[in-house]
Amino acid sequence: MKTLRWTTVALLTAVSLTATAAPGWAEGSSRRTSASDTSTIIVTLDPGTPDPTRAAAAAVAAGQATVTRSTSIGPNTVAVTMKNSGGNARAASVSAQAKGREHIVTAEVSRRVYATTTNDTYYSSLWNINNGASSTYGLKAENAWSTTGGSGAVIGVIDTGITNHSDLNANVITGYDFVSYANSDNGTDGDGWDPDPTDEGDWDDTSSSSWHGTHVAGIAAAIANNSKGVAGVAPRAAIEPIRVLGWQGGYDSDIIAGIYWGAGVAVAGVPANKYPADVLNMSLGGYGSCSRAMQTAINKAVSKGVAVVAATGNGDAWGDPLPLKYSAPANCKNVIRVTASTATGKRASYSNYGTSSAPATIAAPGGSGAGSLICGPTRANCSEVFSTWNLGAITLGDPGYGWMSGTSMAAPHVSGVAALIAARHPGWSPTRLAQALQYSATPMRSCSSTRCGAGIVNAGRAVRVQGFFIKKRSVKTTGTFRVGRKVSASRGRWSPGPVLVRYQWLRNGHAIKNATGRSYRISRTDRGAALSVRITLKRPNYVTRVVRSSSHKVR
């Protein structure tokens, strides 16, 4: 794919499949028990610890555990696998005992996480990307492609791996397989970590293989203008497959190693990543808090300029949505938290949601239940998201296309737009990328910015963002803060200069009615209160900035 000239996407092949992945974000699963009864403890050690893999193994063994494997998964971080027939309680007991050992900062049980996909599989309209689908609440990707298709940006897809597909292959670069458990059945190739991130399938006795990573990769960066199939959000970006999920999901420890490697951080025993990602997409998760080891890995990735995008999850085992503070890794700090939206601009019924302690960042098309949403007068129902897939029910089959829904589908839309921005502004930090995404979002119906994020990601507007206001001189207030006196606000000095400036005077942090001028006359109501001013700066295609002066007590 050399050029991008399409304004619509032709769907020449459409095969409906049934996705039956494990319930999103459920700690338990109906799938059968793993062939090997083991648990993995993630041990974080003091910097400079001599032989950290041996020290970590010794700390776990001190809890009367039989260690079968000890592997470095990142700086000062080791995954120790032990035999365990006692379940989570036994693993928790061993990790608690390990914490008290010399050189050990913390020890945490590595949880299983799952792909965040629901199992509705209908309708092939590209309402999420294609303007011709007549959806007001798609992400307007076509409006971005005349500016950038994402060339030069790398999207690390931390998922089930990838399959051979003519709508993806030209964009796929070398990845890695971090699935550690060596069971040769049900989607595990049996040889632990290796350079081949091919998705082997994740079927079990009750469900077919999901081919989840292939579907996610297609949403983010399927090839456009090739007269076949679908187009991704950033159709000229590179896809770096990082396999961490197989049968029954995957472990925190493998995901952490994948984060480090994807960000270009050395992982012991693994070849260096020659093409570190600009964006890491994690359409996966599990119930619980963000572990220290996971947070450390994310922080390291972000410090190296990598944006980390995480799906907020699809509720509990029954599909009932949860506050995202219970969903890791979306509840980790420094990640872009993505909720799922529908074709009518609402939060999807299954999508976890933000709260004041863990607000959502942004929403993106994830689809909803079958047979409930209409895209336009000439379109069939478009409740799901259509993307690349594999037609094999259990093991690998022919390349194809299919429909899935979930926050798993929402996240790669955001990762794709982040890649479009990164391709145009390679020096912008992950914080800047997130600000540009939020500033350009399409307002969302009946869902607050805390619960759903700033709105639905809008690619067309996002790539037009030119920059940010840089402070040269701070906002301040002048005058005597006494009843009856007039005080004034200075907007400070900014580069570039704002085109529009709005003032709002505040009493004890709350807006004073009709006090929206540069000056304010202090009233008796203000006696004893703290006064300040909030100033909003605007300029076309610059991220809006809101700043506040220091407070002064009225005498």
Side-chain angles (χ1 to χ4, degrees):
M1 187 274 299
K2 300 296 184 183
T3 60
L4 282 173
R5 296 174 183 167
W6 283 11
T7 57
T8 60
V9 179
L11 296 178
L12 302 182
T13 306
V15 179
S16 177
L17 302 179
T18 300
T20 51
W25 299 70
E27 186 69 15
S29 172
S30 61
R31 299 182 176 189
R32 68 174 181 263
T33 305
S34 174
S36 58
D37 292 326
T38 62
S39 292
T40 298
I41 310 298
I42 303 172
V43 181
T44 304
L45 304 99
D46 291 324
T49 300
D51 199 346
T53 54
R54 177 174 294 182
V60 172
Q64 304 301 309
T66 301
V67 174
T68 60
R69 187 169 181 259
S70 184
T71 306
S72 173
I73 61 173
N76 311 310
T77 310
V78 176
V80 181
T81 301
M82 64 178 225
K83 290 184 178 180
N84 180 23
S85 59
N88 290 337
R90 170 64 175 151
S93 174
V94 171
S95 65
Q97 294 178 67
K99 291 178 185 177
R101 305 286 295 180
E102 184 180 8
H103 300 304
I104 306 303
V105 176
T106 188
E108 303 161 297
V109 179
S110 182
R111 297 163 298 188
R112 274 197 185 268
V113 297
Y114 300 92
T116 52
T117 308
T118 62
N119 65 350
D120 299 316
T121 56
Y122 300 85
Y123 313 112
S124 62
S125 177
L126 281 180
W127 62 274
N128 52 315
I129 290 175
N130 180 2
N131 293 348
S134 303
S135 173
T136 304
Y137 298 100
L139 75 162
K140 314 299 182 189
E142 296 167 19
N143 296 345
W145 294 345
S146 61
T147 301
T148 176
S151 180
V154 176
I155 304 172
V157 180
I158 300 179
D159 215 291
T160 64
I162 202 163
T163 63
N164 173 57
H165 203 294
S166 61
D167 230 359
L168 294 174
N169 291 345
N171 285 348
V172 177
I173 61 175
T174 302
Y176 211 83
D177 176 8
F178 286 97
V179 175
S180 62
Y181 47 101
N183 172 11
S184 60
D185 297 327
N186 307 85
T188 306
D189 50 22
D191 55 2
W193 291 6
D194 63 65
D196 182 6
T198 299
D199 188 344
E200 304 287 342
D202 55 3
W203 63 278
D204 68 6
D205 291 342
T206 62
S207 60
S208 302
S209 291
S210 69
W211 313 116
H212 187 271
T214 298
H215 199 271
V216 167
I219 294 169
I223 301 165
N225 200 24
N226 60 350
S227 300
K228 68 173 67 175
V230 297
V233 176
R236 298 182 69 181
I239 301 166
E240 186 169 73
I242 303 172
R243 186 172 184 248
V244 299
L245 303 178
W247 177 56
Q248 291 193 325
Y251 287 106
D252 279 354
S253 48
D254 294 339
I255 295 167
I256 289 167
I259 292 170
Y260 280 124
W261 186 84
V265 179
V267 176
V270 178
N273 185 351
K274 295 181 180 180
Y275 305 101
D278 298 286
V279 184
L280 289 174
N281 185 88
M282 292 198 289
S283 292
L284 49 81
Y287 183 86
S289 59
C290 179
S291 70
R292 180 167 180 168
M294 180 71 75
Q295 186 64 70
T296 300
I298 289 169
N299 290 349
K300 184 65 174 178
V302 171
S303 74
K304 292 180 71 65
V306 182
V308 180
V309 177
T312 57
N314 304 333
D316 58 21
W318 298 273
D320 296 324
L322 298 169
L324 70 84
K325 65 182 179 180
Y326 298 118
S327 304
N331 57 14
C332 295
K333 297 177 181 178
N334 297 325
V335 301
I336 296 172
R337 300 161 172 166
V338 184
T339 58
S341 59
T342 68
T344 57
K346 297 180 180 179
R347 178 176 65 86
S349 61
Y350 55 78
S351 178
N352 289 346
Y353 54 88
T355 62
S356 58
S357 62
T361 306
I362 199 162
S368 64
S372 59
L373 299 175
I374 303 296
C375 287
T378 62
R379 294 284 174 174
N381 266 326
C382 56
S383 302
E384 314 306 312
V385 176
F386 191 62
S387 184
T388 47
W389 221 351
N390 189 275
L391 304 186
I394 295 177
T395 57
L396 282 165
D398 293 331
Y401 301 86
W403 296 267
M404 300 176 84
S405 64
T407 55
S408 275
M409 283 59 257
H413 285 91
V414 174
S415 293
V417 177
L420 293 175
I421 301 172
R424 191 164 187 232
H425 302 285
W428 284 6
S429 68
T431 298
R432 293 297 198 205
L433 287 178
Q435 290 173 336
L437 289 168
Q438 291 177 302
Y439 162 76
S440 57
T442 301
M444 203 166 174
R445 295 175 56 188
S446 16
C447 194
S448 69
S449 59
T450 297
R451 288 174 70 87
C452 292
I456 299 169
V457 65
N458 187 314
R461 290 189 63 198
V463 299
R464 293 200 300 271
V465 175
Q466 296 176 13
F468 307 84
F469 290 108
I470 306 301
K471 183 173 66 175
K472 300 294 184 179
R473 188 170 59 217
S474 298
V475 170
K476 67 177 182 179
T477 55
T478 56
T480 302
F481 284 79
R482 292 183 178 177
V483 173
R485 297 292 186 91
K486 181 183 287 188
V487 290
S488 298
S490 167
R491 71 182 190 185
R493 189 159 62 88
W494 304 89
S495 178
V499 172
L500 177 66
V501 180
R502 291 177 176 169
Y503 298 86
Q504 176 62 64
W505 290 87
L506 309 173
R507 180 188 300 121
N508 294 330
H510 300 287
I512 302 172
K513 187 176 182 179
N514 298 324
T516 56
R518 183 175 178 181
S519 299
Y520 174 68
R521 187 170 297 280
I522 300 173
S523 69
R524 292 181 181 178
T525 306
D526 300 318
R527 190 185 301 275
L531 291 186
S532 60
V533 66
R534 181 175 65 223
I535 297 179
T536 302
L537 310 172
K538 289 181 176 289
R539 184 183 180 93
N541 297 323
Y542 273 76
V543 173
T544 298
R545 182 153 184 179
V546 180
V547 290
R548 182 174 165 179
S549 72
S550 57
S551 299
H552 293 272
K553 189 172 183 179
V554 176
R555 292 178 287 173

